[in-house]
Amino acid sequence: MALAIAPPVKHYFTQRAQISALNSQLASDNKALEAARQELLLWQDPEYIKSQARERLHFVLPGERQYIVTENGTASNTDEGTKVANSLTDGQPWYSRLIASITEAG
């Protein structure tokens, strides 16, 4: 009798595990969908778009000045270049320089 009951019981538990996994995936997908809807609502606000353009693209309104402060505020101007860039000659066509750069970089 145990041999007759074993396969259906195994299928039952396998299907229950699949259902549980699908339910958790559905919950995470619904959470991601809700987050996307909230972000869509934000992007419909003109003030939010303005703030994102200022932050991400460094846009300024007419008459404003924008200052970008880098790391320590010190400007270090080094024209040394990299080892790969120094090994390339200037008279080569762009595709030769590209291939040489790729082979030099390894």
Side-chain angles (χ1 to χ4, degrees):
M1 180 151 165
L3 292 175
I5 295 176
V9 169
K10 178 185 172 193
H11 290 298
Y12 172 77
F13 286 118
T14 303
Q15 289 174 350
R16 293 302 302 168
Q18 288 176 345
I19 289 171
S20 175
L22 289 173
N23 281 337
S24 66
Q25 182 182 359
L26 181 63
S28 67
D29 288 348
N30 282 338
K31 191 181 295 183
L33 178 64
E34 188 58 35
R37 284 183 179 154
Q38 291 298 324
E39 186 175 352
L40 180 64
L41 287 176
L42 282 175
W43 281 103
Q44 291 175 350
D45 181 20
E47 291 300 317
Y48 181 76
I49 293 173
K50 248 191 240 185
S51 71
Q52 290 300 306
R54 287 171 168 256
E55 181 181 327
R56 294 181 183 190
L57 303 174
H58 304 290
F59 282 6
V60 293
L61 292 174
E64 291 182 344
R65 281 199 178 154
Q66 183 178 32
Y67 297 99
I68 299 175
V69 179
T70 58
E71 291 181 19
N72 296 331
T74 60
S76 61
N77 190 4
T78 57
D79 288 334
E80 297 171 5
T82 62
K83 183 176 85 171
V84 174
N86 289 335
S87 67
L88 300 175
T89 58
D90 288 333
Q92 293 178 334
W94 69 268
Y95 49 85
S96 298
R97 292 173 55 116
L98 176 68
I99 293 170
S101 172
I102 291 171
T103 56
E104 282 287 324

XYZ file of all heavy atoms in Angstrom:
830
model
N 0.809 -1.193 0.000
C 0.000 0.000 0.000
C 0.862 1.272 0.000
O 0.510 2.265 -0.636
C -0.908 -0.011 1.225
C -1.767 1.195 1.281
S -3.265 0.773 2.117
C -3.874 2.341 2.444
N 1.972 1.231 0.719
C 2.865 2.375 0.773
C 3.438 2.677 -0.604
O 3.642 3.836 -0.968
C 3.985 2.133 1.771
N 3.705 1.624 -1.393
C 4.220 1.828 -2.737
C 3.180 2.476 -3.648
O 3.520 3.227 -4.561
C 4.667 0.488 -3.337
C 5.900 -0.144 -2.682
C 6.160 -1.519 -3.281
C 7.116 0.740 -2.866
N 1.937 2.217 -3.425
C 0.872 2.805 -4.248
C 0.634 4.273 -3.875
O 0.284 5.091 -4.736
C -0.407 2.009 -4.089
N 0.852 4.626 -2.630
C 0.583 5.992 -2.163
C 1.801 6.906 -2.369
O 1.649 8.123 -2.529
C 0.176 5.964 -0.680
C -1.141 5.219 -0.530
C 0.055 7.351 -0.105
C -1.582 5.054 0.900
N 3.009 6.369 -2.407
C 4.233 7.166 -2.450
C 4.310 8.123 -3.649
O 4.611 9.303 -3.462
C 5.453 6.256 -2.409
N 4.083 7.695 -4.899
C 4.204 8.642 -6.023
C 3.235 9.827 -5.960
O 3.655 10.969 -6.156
C 3.958 7.790 -7.263
C 4.307 6.404 -6.846
C 3.942 6.319 -5.401
N 1.951 9.606 -5.655
C 1.070 10.772 -5.575
C 1.446 11.733 -4.437
O 1.331 12.953 -4.579
C -0.318 10.185 -5.336
C -0.252 8.780 -5.782
C 1.166 8.360 -5.597
N 1.912 11.202 -3.329
C 2.317 12.051 -2.211
C 3.546 12.870 -2.615
O 3.646 14.066 -2.311
C 2.586 11.199 -0.946
C 3.251 12.027 0.143
C 1.294 10.584 -0.444
N 4.475 12.222 -3.317
C 5.663 12.933 -3.780
C 5.268 14.057 -4.729
O 5.777 15.179 -4.629
C 6.604 11.955 -4.485
C 7.838 12.620 -5.030
C 8.683 11.649 -5.830
C 9.792 12.420 -6.514
N 10.459 11.640 -7.533
N 4.358 13.790 -5.655
C 3.896 14.827 -6.580
C 3.194 15.958 -5.841
O 3.342 17.135 -6.191
C 2.953 14.232 -7.641
C 3.642 13.352 -8.629
N 4.625 13.797 -9.469
C 3.473 12.037 -8.914
C 5.054 12.814 -10.232
N 4.367 11.714 -9.914
N 2.433 15.605 -4.827
C 1.736 16.609 -4.039
C 2.730 17.577 -3.399
O 2.578 18.802 -3.498
C 0.876 15.933 -2.965
C 0.271 16.916 -1.989
C -0.837 17.679 -2.344
C 0.821 17.092 -0.722
C -1.388 18.585 -1.455
C 0.274 17.991 0.174
C -0.828 18.741 -0.202
O -1.376 19.638 0.675
N 3.766 17.040 -2.750
C 4.741 17.899 -2.081
C 5.572 18.697 -3.086
O 5.925 19.852 -2.840
C 5.636 17.085 -1.141
C 4.930 16.666 0.116
C 4.745 15.321 0.414
C 4.439 17.608 0.998
C 4.093 14.934 1.564
C 3.781 17.241 2.155
C 3.602 15.889 2.439
N 5.871 18.109 -4.231
C 6.595 18.826 -5.271
C 5.775 20.000 -5.789
O 6.282 21.115 -5.953
C 6.947 17.878 -6.439
O 7.704 16.781 -5.942
C 7.746 18.592 -7.515
N 4.493 19.754 -6.033
C 3.620 20.818 -6.515
C 3.409 21.897 -5.464
O 3.333 23.081 -5.789
C 2.284 20.233 -6.973
C 2.397 19.437 -8.250
C 1.094 18.747 -8.625
O 0.138 18.705 -7.837
N 1.055 18.197 -9.832
N 3.338 21.520 -4.200
C 3.203 22.509 -3.122
C 4.452 23.395 -3.061
O 4.344 24.604 -2.850
C 2.977 21.827 -1.768
C 1.658 21.100 -1.617
C 0.439 21.939 -1.809
N 0.384 23.060 -0.900
C -0.454 24.076 -0.992
N -1.334 24.118 -1.978
N -0.440 25.062 -0.130
N 5.624 22.807 -3.264
C 6.858 23.593 -3.259
C 6.878 24.550 -4.450
O 7.292 25.706 -4.320
C 8.070 22.670 -3.298
N 6.419 24.083 -5.618
C 6.356 24.946 -6.796
C 5.375 26.091 -6.577
O 5.647 27.235 -6.945
C 5.957 24.141 -8.030
C 7.030 23.223 -8.550
C 6.536 22.369 -9.717
O 5.335 22.262 -9.964
N 7.481 21.753 -10.413
N 4.236 25.793 -5.984
C 3.237 26.825 -5.710
C 3.798 27.854 -4.737
O 3.616 29.066 -4.924
C 1.933 26.189 -5.165
C 1.223 25.424 -6.281
C 1.017 27.247 -4.564
C 0.052 24.589 -5.813
N 4.508 27.404 -3.736
C 5.104 28.324 -2.766
C 6.152 29.219 -3.436
O 6.191 30.435 -3.183
C 5.740 27.526 -1.636
O 6.404 28.375 -0.749
N 6.977 28.639 -4.300
C 7.994 29.425 -5.007
C 7.334 30.441 -5.936
O 7.775 31.591 -6.029
C 8.917 28.506 -5.799
N 6.284 30.030 -6.623
C 5.584 30.952 -7.522
C 4.891 32.066 -6.755
O 4.851 33.209 -7.222
C 4.587 30.190 -8.396
C 5.200 29.297 -9.472
C 4.116 28.464 -10.161
C 5.959 30.118 -10.489
N 4.352 31.757 -5.592
C 3.722 32.801 -4.776
C 4.746 33.828 -4.293
O 4.474 35.032 -4.299
C 2.998 32.183 -3.576
C 1.657 31.606 -3.968
O 1.068 32.008 -4.972
N 1.179 30.649 -3.186
N 5.919 33.358 -3.893
C 6.944 34.315 -3.453
C 7.445 35.143 -4.638
O 7.705 36.337 -4.495
C 8.101 33.594 -2.776
O 8.785 32.776 -3.701
N 7.562 34.530 -5.823
C 7.960 35.287 -7.008
C 6.888 36.311 -7.381
O 7.200 37.441 -7.754
C 8.206 34.343 -8.182
C 8.664 35.055 -9.435
C 8.857 34.102 -10.599
O 8.668 32.898 -10.473
N 9.237 34.654 -11.741
N 5.639 35.929 -7.252
C 4.534 36.848 -7.534
C 4.555 38.030 -6.578
O 4.356 39.183 -6.988
C 3.197 36.110 -7.446
C 1.937 36.909 -7.731
C 1.943 37.402 -9.173
C 0.708 36.090 -7.443
N 4.834 37.773 -5.315
C 4.899 38.859 -4.331
C 6.042 39.819 -4.653
O 5.865 41.043 -4.599
C 5.061 38.283 -2.930
N 7.205 39.284 -5.016
C 8.331 40.171 -5.342
C 8.068 40.929 -6.640
O 8.437 42.097 -6.768
C 9.632 39.381 -5.437
O 9.596 38.506 -6.545
N 7.410 40.299 -7.601
C 7.067 40.991 -8.846
C 6.055 42.105 -8.603
O 6.147 43.176 -9.202
C 6.517 40.009 -9.885
C 7.587 39.095 -10.465
O 8.793 39.370 -10.243
O 7.230 38.108 -11.129
N 5.091 41.850 -7.725
C 4.113 42.890 -7.390
C 4.776 44.069 -6.679
O 4.427 45.225 -6.914
C 2.995 42.312 -6.528
C 1.990 41.527 -7.339
O 1.868 41.719 -8.551
N 1.288 40.619 -6.686
N 5.756 43.767 -5.832
C 6.483 44.829 -5.142
C 7.276 45.663 -6.145
O 7.288 46.896 -6.068
C 7.423 44.222 -4.100
C 8.026 45.234 -3.163
C 8.968 44.589 -2.169
C 8.207 43.659 -1.248
N 9.087 43.062 -0.211
N 7.925 45.002 -7.118
C 8.687 45.721 -8.144
C 7.756 46.543 -9.029
O 8.090 47.662 -9.430
C 9.487 44.737 -8.995
N 6.573 46.015 -9.330
C 5.591 46.742 -10.130
C 5.116 47.988 -9.397
O 4.998 49.066 -9.999
C 4.404 45.837 -10.467
C 3.266 46.466 -11.254
C 3.740 46.891 -12.640
C 2.104 45.494 -11.366
N 4.877 47.876 -8.119
C 4.435 49.022 -7.332
C 5.529 50.096 -7.272
O 5.245 51.291 -7.364
C 4.036 48.592 -5.918
C 3.396 49.682 -5.109
C 2.135 50.253 -5.753
O 1.376 49.511 -6.396
O 1.923 51.473 -5.608
N 6.790 49.650 -7.143
C 7.899 50.607 -7.142
C 8.001 51.319 -8.489
O 8.249 52.526 -8.549
C 9.210 49.888 -6.815
N 7.782 50.591 -9.578
C 7.829 51.204 -10.911
C 6.680 52.192 -11.096
O 6.857 53.249 -11.706
C 7.782 50.126 -11.989
N 5.521 51.861 -10.551
C 4.381 52.794 -10.643
C 4.658 54.069 -9.855
O 4.321 55.170 -10.311
C 3.113 52.128 -10.126
C 2.517 51.146 -11.097
C 1.228 50.565 -10.581
N 0.671 49.640 -11.556
C -0.124 48.640 -11.257
N -0.474 48.432 -9.995
N -0.584 47.852 -12.203
N 5.273 53.936 -8.678
C 5.610 55.115 -7.884
C 6.622 55.989 -8.611
O 6.512 57.219 -8.610
C 6.170 54.693 -6.516
C 5.154 54.052 -5.605
C 4.014 55.000 -5.254
O 4.221 56.194 -5.085
N 2.816 54.468 -5.154
N 7.599 55.351 -9.260
C 8.593 56.119 -10.008
C 7.947 56.803 -11.209
O 8.294 57.940 -11.548
C 9.726 55.212 -10.477
C 10.842 55.984 -11.131
C 12.023 55.113 -11.495
O 12.057 53.934 -11.124
O 12.913 55.647 -12.173
N 7.007 56.139 -11.853
C 6.297 56.745 -12.974
C 5.527 57.977 -12.527
O 5.516 59.002 -13.219
C 5.348 55.735 -13.622
C 4.536 56.224 -14.813
C 5.459 56.596 -15.963
C 3.554 55.163 -15.252
N 4.908 57.901 -11.350
C 4.205 59.068 -10.814
C 5.170 60.218 -10.552
O 4.842 61.380 -10.784
C 3.457 58.693 -9.531
C 2.210 57.841 -9.716
C 1.633 57.459 -8.353
C 1.167 58.582 -10.546
N 6.373 59.881 -10.068
C 7.369 60.931 -9.839
C 7.762 61.608 -11.147
O 7.906 62.829 -11.202
C 8.621 60.341 -9.185
C 8.545 60.054 -7.700
C 9.816 59.361 -7.230
C 8.318 61.332 -6.924
N 7.950 60.824 -12.197
C 8.385 61.388 -13.472
C 7.297 62.193 -14.161
O 7.563 62.902 -15.125
C 8.906 60.286 -14.394
C 10.288 59.878 -14.026
C 10.652 58.753 -13.357
C 11.491 60.598 -14.262
N 12.005 58.724 -13.156
C 12.545 59.849 -13.720
C 11.781 61.807 -14.879
C 13.868 60.272 -13.775
C 13.111 62.214 -14.937
C 14.125 61.455 -14.393
N 6.074 62.120 -13.703
C 5.011 62.937 -14.275
C 4.963 64.330 -13.647
O 4.237 65.195 -14.121
C 3.660 62.227 -14.117
C 3.562 60.995 -14.997
C 2.294 60.208 -14.771
O 1.547 60.465 -13.834
N 2.059 59.239 -15.628
N 5.740 64.535 -12.597
C 5.801 65.831 -11.930
C 6.890 66.690 -12.578
O 8.061 66.297 -12.601
C 6.117 65.628 -10.446
C 6.178 66.924 -9.682
O 5.623 67.934 -10.163
O 6.783 66.933 -8.586
N 6.553 67.863 -13.129
C 7.555 68.699 -13.799
C 8.687 69.154 -12.867
O 9.834 69.289 -13.303
C 6.766 69.899 -14.303
C 5.351 69.497 -14.278
C 5.214 68.417 -13.269
N 8.401 69.374 -11.608
C 9.440 69.790 -10.663
C 10.456 68.674 -10.431
O 11.653 68.926 -10.293
C 8.817 70.227 -9.340
C 8.040 71.513 -9.428
C 8.919 72.678 -9.889
O 10.065 72.806 -9.413
O 8.449 73.452 -10.737
N 9.980 67.443 -10.391
C 10.886 66.302 -10.219
C 11.793 66.165 -11.444
O 12.994 65.909 -11.310
C 10.098 65.018 -9.991
C 10.974 63.803 -9.787
C 11.637 63.594 -8.583
C 11.152 62.871 -10.799
C 12.448 62.490 -8.393
C 11.959 61.763 -10.617
C 12.601 61.579 -9.414
O 13.410 60.490 -9.234
N 11.227 66.361 -12.623
C 12.021 66.286 -13.849
C 13.093 67.371 -13.846
O 14.243 67.124 -14.203
C 11.112 66.397 -15.096
C 10.207 65.171 -15.187
C 11.925 66.552 -16.363
C 9.161 65.253 -16.260
N 12.723 68.577 -13.413
C 13.691 69.668 -13.322
C 14.822 69.319 -12.356
O 15.993 69.542 -12.652
C 12.997 70.937 -12.840
C 12.914 72.029 -13.862
C 12.460 73.305 -13.183
C 11.174 73.761 -13.821
N 10.727 75.051 -13.299
N 14.457 68.777 -11.208
C 15.477 68.446 -10.214
C 16.399 67.335 -10.712
O 17.608 67.376 -10.476
C 14.836 68.051 -8.888
O 14.207 66.795 -9.003
N 15.842 66.370 -11.429
C 16.673 65.298 -11.976
C 17.592 65.807 -13.073
O 18.738 65.378 -13.184
C 15.802 64.151 -12.498
C 15.103 63.367 -11.418
C 16.082 62.741 -10.460
O 16.998 62.028 -10.863
N 15.907 63.006 -9.178
N 17.097 66.737 -13.897
C 17.937 67.319 -14.943
C 19.079 68.105 -14.321
O 20.207 68.060 -14.800
C 17.106 68.210 -15.860
N 18.820 68.806 -13.246
C 19.871 69.555 -12.563
C 20.891 68.613 -11.944
O 22.096 68.820 -12.040
C 19.282 70.424 -11.455
C 18.539 71.621 -11.968
C 17.813 72.297 -10.793
N 17.337 73.582 -11.198
C 17.909 74.730 -10.849
N 18.964 74.728 -10.072
N 17.418 75.867 -11.264
N 20.407 67.552 -11.318
C 21.297 66.639 -10.607
C 22.084 65.742 -11.559
O 23.305 65.634 -11.457
C 20.475 65.777 -9.655
C 21.295 64.808 -8.843
C 20.425 63.967 -7.936
O 19.384 64.467 -7.466
O 20.786 62.809 -7.727
N 21.403 65.110 -12.478
C 22.052 64.118 -13.335
C 22.777 64.734 -14.523
O 23.852 64.284 -14.899
C 21.024 63.124 -13.868
C 20.412 62.256 -12.800
C 19.448 61.299 -13.441
N 18.769 60.484 -12.451
C 18.028 59.454 -12.739
N 17.843 59.113 -13.992
N 17.445 58.762 -11.794
N 22.171 65.726 -15.143
C 22.725 66.292 -16.369
C 23.421 67.628 -16.152
O 23.927 68.227 -17.095
C 21.607 66.454 -17.409
C 20.843 65.168 -17.746
C 19.680 65.482 -18.660
C 21.762 64.158 -18.370
N 23.399 68.116 -14.913
C 24.029 69.387 -14.540
C 23.442 70.565 -15.325
O 24.166 71.460 -15.737
C 25.548 69.312 -14.732
C 26.186 68.190 -13.974
N 26.279 68.180 -12.601
C 26.731 67.013 -14.397
C 26.857 67.071 -12.217
N 27.140 66.342 -13.277
N 22.136 70.544 -15.534
C 21.472 71.670 -16.191
C 21.299 72.808 -15.187
O 21.150 72.585 -13.993
C 20.084 71.268 -16.698
C 20.087 70.466 -17.968
C 21.257 70.017 -18.552
C 18.906 70.167 -18.597
C 21.253 69.290 -19.712
C 18.890 69.430 -19.767
C 20.059 68.989 -20.324
N 21.313 74.031 -15.693
C 21.044 75.201 -14.863
C 20.031 76.076 -15.587
O 19.906 76.032 -16.801
C 22.323 76.011 -14.570
C 23.265 75.228 -13.700
C 23.010 76.431 -15.835
N 19.310 76.858 -14.819
C 18.354 77.782 -15.406
C 19.096 79.014 -15.914
O 20.205 79.311 -15.455
C 17.308 78.171 -14.365
C 16.374 77.050 -13.932
C 15.484 77.526 -12.789
C 15.534 76.551 -15.087
N 18.519 79.739 -16.855
C 19.185 80.946 -17.356
C 19.471 81.925 -16.215
O 18.632 82.161 -15.354
C 18.172 81.527 -18.342
C 17.328 80.371 -18.754
C 17.273 79.464 -17.571
N 20.685 82.455 -16.220
C 21.083 83.403 -15.188
C 21.739 82.764 -13.983
O 22.256 83.457 -13.122
N 21.735 81.454 -13.883
C 22.361 80.766 -12.759
C 23.776 80.346 -13.136
O 24.110 80.195 -14.303
C 21.567 79.519 -12.373
C 20.230 79.799 -11.770
C 19.517 78.517 -11.366
O 19.913 77.430 -11.809
O 18.551 78.629 -10.614
N 24.595 80.159 -12.119
C 25.939 79.629 -12.311
C 26.038 78.319 -11.565
O 25.503 78.180 -10.467
C 26.980 80.581 -11.752
C 27.248 81.709 -12.651
C 28.555 82.335 -12.288
N 28.808 83.408 -13.222
C 29.543 84.441 -12.972
N 30.113 84.559 -11.791
N 29.728 85.364 -13.877
N 26.749 77.409 -12.157
C 26.919 76.121 -11.507
C 28.394 75.879 -11.236
O 29.239 76.104 -12.097
C 26.376 75.003 -12.390
C 26.469 73.656 -11.740
C 25.884 72.572 -12.612
O 25.953 72.658 -13.821
N 25.301 71.580 -11.991
N 28.670 75.450 -10.040
C 30.031 75.123 -9.648
C 30.082 73.644 -9.314
O 29.256 73.136 -8.560
C 30.458 75.928 -8.421
C 30.479 77.414 -8.678
C 29.414 78.218 -8.290
C 31.559 77.993 -9.313
C 29.431 79.575 -8.531
C 31.581 79.352 -9.555
C 30.519 80.134 -9.161
O 30.536 81.479 -9.402
N 31.054 72.964 -9.877
C 31.239 71.548 -9.599
C 32.552 71.393 -8.853
O 33.613 71.733 -9.365
C 31.252 70.718 -10.899
C 29.912 70.876 -11.618
C 31.526 69.253 -10.589
C 29.869 70.195 -12.967
N 32.459 70.886 -7.640
C 33.636 70.712 -6.806
C 34.078 69.261 -6.920
O 33.292 68.346 -6.719
C 33.326 71.052 -5.333
C 34.543 70.840 -4.461
C 32.803 72.466 -5.233
N 35.341 69.071 -7.263
C 35.871 67.718 -7.355
C 36.572 67.364 -6.067
O 36.778 68.215 -5.200
C 36.839 67.590 -8.545
O 37.892 68.526 -8.373
C 36.124 67.855 -9.856
N 36.996 66.164 -5.941
C 37.541 65.533 -4.737
C 38.073 66.495 -3.679
O 37.362 66.918 -2.800
C 38.628 64.544 -5.132
C 38.093 63.353 -5.838
C 39.180 62.379 -6.199
O 40.280 62.440 -5.618
O 38.934 61.558 -7.067
N 39.336 66.834 -3.732
C 39.952 67.654 -2.686
C 39.945 69.130 -3.026
O 40.484 69.930 -2.288
C 41.394 67.198 -2.443
C 41.453 65.795 -1.917
O 40.526 65.356 -1.245
N 42.517 65.082 -2.231
N 39.393 69.480 -4.142
C 39.395 70.864 -4.555
C 40.712 71.278 -5.188
O 40.897 72.423 -5.542
N 41.648 70.352 -5.328
C 42.927 70.668 -5.948
C 42.908 70.191 -7.381
O 42.420 69.108 -7.683
C 44.089 69.987 -5.204
O 43.888 68.582 -5.250
C 44.175 70.478 -3.772
N 43.420 71.015 -8.257
C 43.465 70.648 -9.661
C 44.851 70.113 -9.975
O 45.845 70.805 -9.816
C 43.168 71.860 -10.532
N 44.904 68.860 -10.357
C 46.186 68.273 -10.739
C 46.138 67.990 -12.225
O 45.325 67.221 -12.700
C 46.452 67.002 -9.946
O 45.443 66.061 -10.210
N 46.995 68.634 -12.955
C 47.010 68.510 -14.399
C 48.189 67.639 -14.796
O 49.329 68.080 -14.758
C 47.116 69.893 -15.052
C 46.898 69.814 -16.546
O 46.600 68.752 -17.068
N 47.054 70.932 -17.219
N 47.892 66.388 -15.130
C 48.955 65.476 -15.548
C 48.668 65.051 -16.970
O 47.626 64.496 -17.273
C 49.011 64.243 -14.635
O 47.742 63.599 -14.659
C 49.364 64.625 -13.211
N 49.612 65.336 -17.833
C 49.480 64.953 -19.232
C 50.356 63.750 -19.540
O 50.808 63.580 -20.660
C 49.862 66.131 -20.145
C 48.815 67.221 -20.115
O 47.653 66.884 -19.833
O 49.159 68.387 -20.366
N 50.619 62.944 -18.526
C 51.474 61.794 -18.729
C 50.782 60.722 -19.559
O 51.407 60.084 -20.376
C 51.887 61.209 -17.382
C 52.707 62.164 -16.542
C 52.903 61.627 -15.145
O 52.491 60.480 -14.873
O 53.474 62.346 -14.323
N 49.500 60.512 -19.386
C 48.780 59.474 -20.102
C 49.059 58.112 -19.495
O 49.764 57.966 -18.513
N 48.518 57.095 -20.102
C 48.722 55.741 -19.615
C 49.831 55.072 -20.401
O 50.281 55.566 -21.424
C 47.428 54.927 -19.751
O 47.089 54.855 -21.132
C 46.302 55.547 -18.956
N 50.248 53.911 -19.927
C 51.313 53.179 -20.592
C 50.889 52.779 -22.004
O 51.662 52.873 -22.955
C 51.668 51.945 -19.767
C 52.826 51.140 -20.343
C 53.187 49.985 -19.439
C 52.276 48.824 -19.775
N 52.646 47.581 -19.118
N 49.630 52.367 -22.148
C 49.123 51.958 -23.457
C 49.045 53.159 -24.390
O 49.443 53.088 -25.550
C 47.742 51.274 -23.314
C 47.145 50.972 -24.660
C 47.856 50.022 -22.479
N 48.557 54.290 -23.892
C 48.426 55.479 -24.732
C 49.788 56.003 -25.154
O 49.949 56.514 -26.264
C 47.654 56.562 -23.999
N 50.781 55.892 -24.305
C 52.114 56.380 -24.648
C 52.792 55.503 -25.692
O 53.650 55.966 -26.443
C 52.990 56.472 -23.403
C 52.543 57.597 -22.498
O 51.939 58.557 -22.948
N 52.829 57.461 -21.217
N 52.424 54.212 -25.743
C 53.079 53.313 -26.686
C 52.508 53.421 -28.097
O 53.084 52.894 -29.031
C 52.969 51.864 -26.191
O 51.622 51.461 -26.226
N 51.380 54.111 -28.279
C 50.773 54.258 -29.594
C 51.347 55.477 -30.304
O 51.544 56.524 -29.709
C 49.249 54.406 -29.463
C 48.523 53.240 -28.810
C 47.060 53.582 -28.629
C 48.666 51.988 -29.630
N 51.585 55.323 -31.593
C 52.084 56.464 -32.365
C 50.918 57.245 -32.943
O 49.847 56.695 -33.195
C 53.001 55.985 -33.505
O 52.257 55.094 -34.343
C 54.214 55.263 -32.968
N 51.140 58.541 -33.175
C 50.052 59.408 -33.618
C 49.733 59.281 -35.103
O 48.660 59.638 -35.531
C 50.386 60.870 -33.301
C 50.286 61.141 -31.816
O 49.512 60.439 -31.148
O 50.986 62.051 -31.337
N 50.641 58.765 -35.930
C 50.416 58.748 -37.361
C 49.578 57.582 -37.854
O 49.263 57.496 -39.037
N 49.178 56.686 -36.977
C 48.426 55.508 -37.392
C 46.952 55.837 -37.574
O 46.421 56.734 -36.923
C 48.537 54.408 -36.337
C 49.922 53.836 -36.191
C 49.943 52.778 -35.094
O 49.128 52.808 -34.191
N 50.887 51.859 -35.198
N 46.245 55.082 -38.459
C 44.797 55.255 -38.564
C 44.117 54.801 -37.272
O 44.682 54.050 -36.489
C 44.393 54.359 -39.730
C 45.615 53.720 -40.255
C 46.763 54.130 -39.422
N 42.885 55.233 -37.086
C 42.184 54.969 -35.832
C 41.992 53.492 -35.570
O 42.082 53.031 -34.443
C 40.844 55.701 -35.801
C 39.834 55.160 -36.775
C 39.628 55.575 -38.038
C 38.912 54.092 -36.541
N 38.639 54.839 -38.634
C 38.180 53.925 -37.725
C 38.635 53.268 -35.471
C 37.198 52.955 -37.863
C 37.644 52.313 -35.607
C 36.935 52.161 -36.794
N 41.737 52.692 -36.624
C 41.489 51.269 -36.412
C 42.771 50.544 -36.017
O 42.730 49.604 -35.224
C 40.832 50.627 -37.636
C 41.508 50.932 -38.953
C 42.578 50.183 -39.402
C 41.064 51.981 -39.750
C 43.201 50.465 -40.597
C 41.677 52.280 -40.953
C 42.759 51.519 -41.376
O 43.364 51.811 -42.554
N 43.902 50.969 -36.522
C 45.177 50.364 -36.114
C 45.470 50.695 -34.661
O 45.946 49.845 -33.900
C 46.315 50.874 -36.986
O 46.113 50.518 -38.324
N 45.179 51.937 -34.280
C 45.391 52.337 -32.889
C 44.461 51.569 -31.960
O 44.849 51.191 -30.860
C 45.181 53.835 -32.738
C 46.252 54.656 -33.444
C 45.899 56.114 -33.399
N 45.669 56.543 -32.021
C 46.410 57.429 -31.389
N 47.425 57.984 -32.000
N 46.140 57.772 -30.155
N 43.217 51.323 -32.411
C 42.266 50.574 -31.597
C 42.744 49.158 -31.368
O 42.753 48.659 -30.245
C 40.885 50.573 -32.263
C 39.806 49.742 -31.581
C 39.431 50.372 -30.249
C 38.591 49.615 -32.454
N 43.160 48.481 -32.442
C 43.630 47.104 -32.318
C 44.883 47.038 -31.458
O 45.028 46.163 -30.591
C 43.860 46.496 -33.717
C 42.519 46.347 -34.429
C 44.566 45.153 -33.626
C 42.623 45.976 -35.883
N 45.794 47.994 -31.644
C 47.013 48.021 -30.833
C 46.687 48.261 -29.368
O 47.293 47.667 -28.477
C 47.958 49.097 -31.353
N 45.722 49.110 -29.110
C 45.321 49.390 -27.736
C 44.747 48.148 -27.070
O 45.027 47.860 -25.917
C 44.317 50.526 -27.709
O 43.786 50.686 -26.438
N 43.939 47.404 -27.816
C 43.314 46.196 -27.272
C 44.378 45.144 -26.992
O 44.368 44.499 -25.936
C 42.236 45.666 -28.226
C 41.055 46.631 -28.251
C 41.764 44.279 -27.813
C 40.033 46.331 -29.310
N 45.317 44.963 -27.912
C 46.351 43.950 -27.695
C 47.299 44.366 -26.576
O 47.775 43.515 -25.828
C 47.139 43.696 -28.993
O 47.672 44.925 -29.461
C 46.263 43.069 -30.047
N 47.589 45.653 -26.446
C 48.462 46.115 -25.367
C 47.796 45.938 -24.006
O 48.450 45.581 -23.028
C 48.812 47.590 -25.553
C 49.869 47.848 -26.588
C 51.256 47.445 -26.119
O 51.542 47.613 -24.925
O 52.016 46.956 -26.947
N 46.486 46.193 -23.944
C 45.784 46.094 -22.668
C 45.646 44.651 -22.224
O 45.465 44.375 -21.056
C 44.419 46.760 -22.762
N 45.715 43.740 -23.175
C 45.683 42.324 -22.841
C 44.293 41.852 -22.683
O 43.894 40.992 -22.043
